[in-house]
Amino acid sequence: MTAVIHANALTATEGERIPRVLISAGSSSSGKTTVTIGLLATLSRAGYKVQPFKVGLDYIDPSYYSEITGRRARNIDGYLMSEERVRDVFLHGCETDGKADIAIIEGVRGLYEGLESLSDIGSTAQIAKVLNCPVILVLNTRSITRSAAAIVSGFKTFDPQVNIAGVILNNIGGQRHAKKAKEAIEHYTSVPVIGIIHRNNEMMISMRHLGLVPAIEERRRSVDFEGKIGTIQKVISEGVDIEKVLGIARRVSPLPRPSNTIFVPREVTEKPVIGIALDEAFNFYYHDNLELLELAGAELHYFSPVHDKHLPKVDAIYIGGGYPELFATELEANVSMRKDIKTASEAGLPIYGECGGLMYLTQKLTTGVKEKGMYHMSDMPVSTYEMVGALPGHTLMGHKRVVSYNIGSFSLDTVIGKTGNSFCAHEFHHSEVTELPADAKFAIKLSRGTGIIDSWDGLTVKNTLGCYAHLVASSYDDFAKSFVEFVKGMRGSKKSLH
């Protein structure tokens, strides 16, 4: 189905009328991420400015989308964000770094999966309706033909407000299989089949317990990252009718602009410097978090706890999530960096560690724990590594799996929030912090979620804070403002540290 396409054939003339399409599926593991990667690569290589989005709170898939398109992928979530905020993030993303020609949004899980069984809150379908966005359904057709029509029919009629504009058949075995499934879907549902993807193991991307291997790590360890993306792009461009995708994306109405935007720069005379840990071990950051810190007046300085020997001159540190358990050997071996961070913490430098950052800030980290129900690190030896020690506790990797939205409020003033501030966020981890002292101090009380212990999160010592909660700055408005104001306040009383 390869077609010659031209980037100047599809240009948005109105900011609110961005051509857009949402890639969803009947369930997880149907192939929507691979299809999304292929479409982003095909359109980008044809000269389009393609703005990628991800429904939900995944960090890893967007890392590929940013690499492929050269534009910052954004996350949108209908539970954490109001409809106006979803539109604000969407329009801002499409109009930043040069106006996008087209937006491609990847959904989360199945089209209608959300927070509740009787509402669409938190679902891909909710976002499709908020953004008035047509949906292309990726269907795993392994071992089904006529039944595929029943599935599409059910998805189409379940919520008539969701516009299922096309279907891509994935995991097709052969031409007869493809012909029967396509005929059945188009006869019984009138939804056009715009793509047929045959089974192809060459399109597989490295996986691990949180999903795909992050793009930053895959690129650094792979001698042919571009080749892998090129293979996916070739299969998708040959199997999907790209002109029909563009046609679906064009058939959208304008979006109403939000009454106000959060993406407004603050006038500042002096910018505090926030050190951002970024490498193979720590790379789970929402682009909105980083951009809103800059808009609030911060200067961001990136450093690597794995590779850099010393902490750069900064006024604060932000250590995001990631895979410290997989790089524990390297993190332990970098004694000078661990010592610098602990010294900075003891001196009162504001430090915020988020999930993986929390793990790194504790005293020890044990990987490969052999426990009943163990499911992901059984091929690793049981090993304990020294970490920073700015926070008390021993982090254990084990069978425990926590995936949840959480709701919390601050019981203490911290680098990311003042007493009484509340937030909705999420947590996703396979570890727990043990061996906490009786006088351990926590700054966040959760009304929903697990946290570190007994619904408490935000382990704190001096101005160092570690949380399992992942804060989303485009949802929790106080994140960037509180962070920058706290650091500026501390900067007034202390010198920046090395």
PDB file of all heavy atoms in Angstrom, residues 10-29:
ATOM      1  N   LEU A  10      -0.608  18.616   3.388  1.00  0.00           N
ATOM      2  CA  LEU A  10      -1.434  18.606   4.585  1.00  0.00           C
ATOM      3  C   LEU A  10      -0.860  19.610   5.566  1.00  0.00           C
ATOM      4  O   LEU A  10       0.056  19.307   6.313  1.00  0.00           O
ATOM      5  CB  LEU A  10      -1.429  17.211   5.208  1.00  0.00           C
ATOM      6  CG  LEU A  10      -2.356  17.020   6.409  1.00  0.00           C
ATOM      7  CD1 LEU A  10      -3.543  16.168   5.988  1.00  0.00           C
ATOM      8  CD2 LEU A  10      -1.632  16.303   7.529  1.00  0.00           C
ATOM      9  N   THR A  11      -1.314  20.824   5.522  1.00  0.00           N
ATOM     10  CA  THR A  11      -0.797  21.853   6.410  1.00  0.00           C
ATOM     11  C   THR A  11      -1.947  22.496   7.162  1.00  0.00           C
ATOM     12  O   THR A  11      -2.951  22.884   6.579  1.00  0.00           O
ATOM     13  CB  THR A  11      -0.039  22.933   5.604  1.00  0.00           C
ATOM     14  OG1 THR A  11       1.015  22.292   4.890  1.00  0.00           O
ATOM     15  CG2 THR A  11       0.554  23.987   6.533  1.00  0.00           C
ATOM     16  N   ALA A  12      -1.779  22.610   8.471  1.00  0.00           N
ATOM     17  CA  ALA A  12      -2.819  23.226   9.288  1.00  0.00           C
ATOM     18  C   ALA A  12      -2.817  24.728   9.062  1.00  0.00           C
ATOM     19  O   ALA A  12      -1.788  25.381   9.180  1.00  0.00           O
ATOM     20  CB  ALA A  12      -2.577  22.918  10.762  1.00  0.00           C
ATOM     21  N   THR A  13      -3.949  25.303   8.716  1.00  0.00           N
ATOM     22  CA  THR A  13      -4.059  26.743   8.532  1.00  0.00           C
ATOM     23  C   THR A  13      -4.623  27.424   9.752  1.00  0.00           C
ATOM     24  O   THR A  13      -4.559  28.634   9.869  1.00  0.00           O
ATOM     25  CB  THR A  13      -4.957  27.057   7.318  1.00  0.00           C
ATOM     26  OG1 THR A  13      -6.239  26.444   7.527  1.00  0.00           O
ATOM     27  CG2 THR A  13      -4.346  26.498   6.049  1.00  0.00           C
ATOM     28  N   GLU A  14      -5.206  26.655  10.663  1.00  0.00           N
ATOM     29  CA  GLU A  14      -5.723  27.199  11.907  1.00  0.00           C
ATOM     30  C   GLU A  14      -5.096  26.425  13.048  1.00  0.00           C
ATOM     31  O   GLU A  14      -4.965  25.218  12.995  1.00  0.00           O
ATOM     32  CB  GLU A  14      -7.247  27.052  11.996  1.00  0.00           C
ATOM     33  CG  GLU A  14      -8.011  27.682  10.853  1.00  0.00           C
ATOM     34  CD  GLU A  14      -9.499  27.386  10.989  1.00  0.00           C
ATOM     35  OE1 GLU A  14     -10.014  27.484  12.102  1.00  0.00           O
ATOM     36  OE2 GLU A  14     -10.108  27.041   9.982  1.00  0.00           O
ATOM     37  N   GLY A  15      -4.700  27.140  14.110  1.00  0.00           N
ATOM     38  CA  GLY A  15      -4.110  26.462  15.247  1.00  0.00           C
ATOM     39  C   GLY A  15      -5.030  25.431  15.848  1.00  0.00           C
ATOM     40  O   GLY A  15      -4.593  24.406  16.334  1.00  0.00           O
ATOM     41  N   GLU A  16      -6.355  25.723  15.810  1.00  0.00           N
ATOM     42  CA  GLU A  16      -7.315  24.824  16.422  1.00  0.00           C
ATOM     43  C   GLU A  16      -7.701  23.662  15.512  1.00  0.00           C
ATOM     44  O   GLU A  16      -8.329  22.719  15.951  1.00  0.00           O
ATOM     45  CB  GLU A  16      -8.595  25.593  16.810  1.00  0.00           C
ATOM     46  CG  GLU A  16      -8.386  26.664  17.864  1.00  0.00           C
ATOM     47  CD  GLU A  16      -8.013  28.002  17.247  1.00  0.00           C
ATOM     48  OE1 GLU A  16      -7.614  28.000  16.059  1.00  0.00           O
ATOM     49  OE2 GLU A  16      -8.093  29.016  17.940  1.00  0.00           O
ATOM     50  N   ARG A  17      -7.367  23.751  14.247  1.00  0.00           N
ATOM     51  CA  ARG A  17      -7.771  22.705  13.307  1.00  0.00           C
ATOM     52  C   ARG A  17      -6.563  21.845  12.933  1.00  0.00           C
ATOM     53  O   ARG A  17      -6.291  21.606  11.755  1.00  0.00           O
ATOM     54  CB  ARG A  17      -8.408  23.314  12.056  1.00  0.00           C
ATOM     55  CG  ARG A  17      -9.231  22.308  11.240  1.00  0.00           C
ATOM     56  CD  ARG A  17      -9.682  22.908   9.927  1.00  0.00           C
ATOM     57  NE  ARG A  17     -10.694  23.918  10.100  1.00  0.00           N
ATOM     58  CZ  ARG A  17     -11.998  23.678  10.148  1.00  0.00           C
ATOM     59  NH1 ARG A  17     -12.442  22.445  10.045  1.00  0.00           N
ATOM     60  NH2 ARG A  17     -12.858  24.656  10.310  1.00  0.00           N
ATOM     61  N   ILE A  18      -5.865  21.387  13.906  1.00  0.00           N
ATOM     62  CA  ILE A  18      -4.722  20.517  13.641  1.00  0.00           C
ATOM     63  C   ILE A  18      -5.234  19.158  13.165  1.00  0.00           C
ATOM     64  O   ILE A  18      -6.011  18.500  13.866  1.00  0.00           O
ATOM     65  CB  ILE A  18      -3.883  20.319  14.917  1.00  0.00           C
ATOM     66  CG1 ILE A  18      -3.328  21.653  15.424  1.00  0.00           C
ATOM     67  CG2 ILE A  18      -2.748  19.331  14.662  1.00  0.00           C
ATOM     68  CD1 ILE A  18      -2.302  22.269  14.544  1.00  0.00           C
ATOM     69  N   PRO A  19      -4.848  18.713  11.981  1.00  0.00           N
ATOM     70  CA  PRO A  19      -5.199  17.343  11.572  1.00  0.00           C
ATOM     71  C   PRO A  19      -4.679  16.355  12.606  1.00  0.00           C
ATOM     72  O   PRO A  19      -3.544  16.474  13.082  1.00  0.00           O
ATOM     73  CB  PRO A  19      -4.484  17.193  10.223  1.00  0.00           C
ATOM     74  CG  PRO A  19      -4.361  18.598   9.716  1.00  0.00           C
ATOM     75  CD  PRO A  19      -4.109  19.425  10.925  1.00  0.00           C
ATOM     76  N   ARG A  20      -5.499  15.376  12.946  1.00  0.00           N
ATOM     77  CA  ARG A  20      -5.138  14.497  14.052  1.00  0.00           C
ATOM     78  C   ARG A  20      -5.821  13.143  13.911  1.00  0.00           C
ATOM     79  O   ARG A  20      -6.904  13.031  13.344  1.00  0.00           O
ATOM     80  CB  ARG A  20      -5.515  15.131  15.391  1.00  0.00           C
ATOM     81  CG  ARG A  20      -6.977  15.571  15.482  1.00  0.00           C
ATOM     82  CD  ARG A  20      -7.191  16.546  16.644  1.00  0.00           C
ATOM     83  NE  ARG A  20      -8.573  16.981  16.778  1.00  0.00           N
ATOM     84  CZ  ARG A  20      -9.086  18.041  16.159  1.00  0.00           C
ATOM     85  NH1 ARG A  20      -8.323  18.770  15.348  1.00  0.00           N
ATOM     86  NH2 ARG A  20     -10.349  18.384  16.343  1.00  0.00           N
ATOM     87  N   VAL A  21      -5.168  12.135  14.477  1.00  0.00           N
ATOM     88  CA  VAL A  21      -5.736  10.801  14.475  1.00  0.00           C
ATOM     89  C   VAL A  21      -5.234  10.084  15.721  1.00  0.00           C
ATOM     90  O   VAL A  21      -4.120  10.324  16.193  1.00  0.00           O
ATOM     91  CB  VAL A  21      -5.347  10.043  13.192  1.00  0.00           C
ATOM     92  CG1 VAL A  21      -3.855   9.761  13.142  1.00  0.00           C
ATOM     93  CG2 VAL A  21      -6.137   8.763  13.045  1.00  0.00           C
ATOM     94  N   LEU A  22      -6.069   9.221  16.259  1.00  0.00           N
ATOM     95  CA  LEU A  22      -5.747   8.496  17.476  1.00  0.00           C
ATOM     96  C   LEU A  22      -5.638   7.008  17.161  1.00  0.00           C
ATOM     97  O   LEU A  22      -6.544   6.423  16.574  1.00  0.00           O
ATOM     98  CB  LEU A  22      -6.821   8.753  18.538  1.00  0.00           C
ATOM     99  CG  LEU A  22      -6.511   8.337  19.973  1.00  0.00           C
ATOM    100  CD1 LEU A  22      -7.341   9.170  20.955  1.00  0.00           C
ATOM    101  CD2 LEU A  22      -6.789   6.862  20.216  1.00  0.00           C
ATOM    102  N   ILE A  23      -4.511   6.402  17.539  1.00  0.00           N
ATOM    103  CA  ILE A  23      -4.273   4.981  17.292  1.00  0.00           C
ATOM    104  C   ILE A  23      -4.628   4.215  18.558  1.00  0.00           C
ATOM    105  O   ILE A  23      -4.004   4.383  19.611  1.00  0.00           O
ATOM    106  CB  ILE A  23      -2.804   4.708  16.917  1.00  0.00           C
ATOM    107  CG1 ILE A  23      -2.348   5.637  15.779  1.00  0.00           C
ATOM    108  CG2 ILE A  23      -2.628   3.248  16.526  1.00  0.00           C
ATOM    109  CD1 ILE A  23      -3.164   5.544  14.520  1.00  0.00           C
ATOM    110  N   SER A  24      -5.650   3.367  18.476  1.00  0.00           N
ATOM    111  CA  SER A  24      -6.085   2.600  19.637  1.00  0.00           C
ATOM    112  C   SER A  24      -6.153   1.125  19.264  1.00  0.00           C
ATOM    113  O   SER A  24      -5.731   0.717  18.180  1.00  0.00           O
ATOM    114  CB  SER A  24      -7.438   3.101  20.145  1.00  0.00           C
ATOM    115  OG  SER A  24      -7.756   2.502  21.384  1.00  0.00           O
ATOM    116  N   ALA A  25      -6.689   0.326  20.181  1.00  0.00           N
ATOM    117  CA  ALA A  25      -6.719  -1.119  19.962  1.00  0.00           C
ATOM    118  C   ALA A  25      -7.812  -1.751  20.803  1.00  0.00           C
ATOM    119  O   ALA A  25      -8.410  -1.101  21.676  1.00  0.00           O
ATOM    120  CB  ALA A  25      -5.364  -1.734  20.305  1.00  0.00           C
ATOM    121  N   GLY A  26      -8.046  -3.029  20.537  1.00  0.00           N
ATOM    122  CA  GLY A  26      -9.028  -3.754  21.331  1.00  0.00           C
ATOM    123  C   GLY A  26      -8.519  -4.090  22.712  1.00  0.00           C
ATOM    124  O   GLY A  26      -9.288  -4.226  23.663  1.00  0.00           O
ATOM    125  N   SER A  27      -7.182  -4.236  22.842  1.00  0.00           N
ATOM    126  CA  SER A  27      -6.582  -4.568  24.127  1.00  0.00           C
ATOM    127  C   SER A  27      -5.103  -4.261  24.055  1.00  0.00           C
ATOM    128  O   SER A  27      -4.568  -3.925  22.985  1.00  0.00           O
ATOM    129  CB  SER A  27      -6.791  -6.049  24.451  1.00  0.00           C
ATOM    130  OG  SER A  27      -6.104  -6.860  23.505  1.00  0.00           O
ATOM    131  N   SER A  28      -4.432  -4.377  25.189  1.00  0.00           N
ATOM    132  CA  SER A  28      -2.981  -4.251  25.193  1.00  0.00           C
ATOM    133  C   SER A  28      -2.370  -5.365  24.350  1.00  0.00           C
ATOM    134  O   SER A  28      -3.000  -6.396  24.108  1.00  0.00           O
ATOM    135  CB  SER A  28      -2.454  -4.337  26.627  1.00  0.00           C
ATOM    136  OG  SER A  28      -2.928  -3.264  27.411  1.00  0.00           O
ATOM    137  N   SER A  29      -1.150  -5.148  23.899  1.00  0.00           N
ATOM    138  CA  SER A  29      -0.400  -6.133  23.109  1.00  0.00           C
ATOM    139  C   SER A  29      -1.050  -6.430  21.764  1.00  0.00           C
ATOM    140  O   SER A  29      -0.893  -7.527  21.214  1.00  0.00           O
ATOM    141  CB  SER A  29      -0.218  -7.438  23.904  1.00  0.00           C
ATOM    142  OG  SER A  29       0.454  -7.183  25.123  1.00  0.00           O
TER     143      SER A  29
END
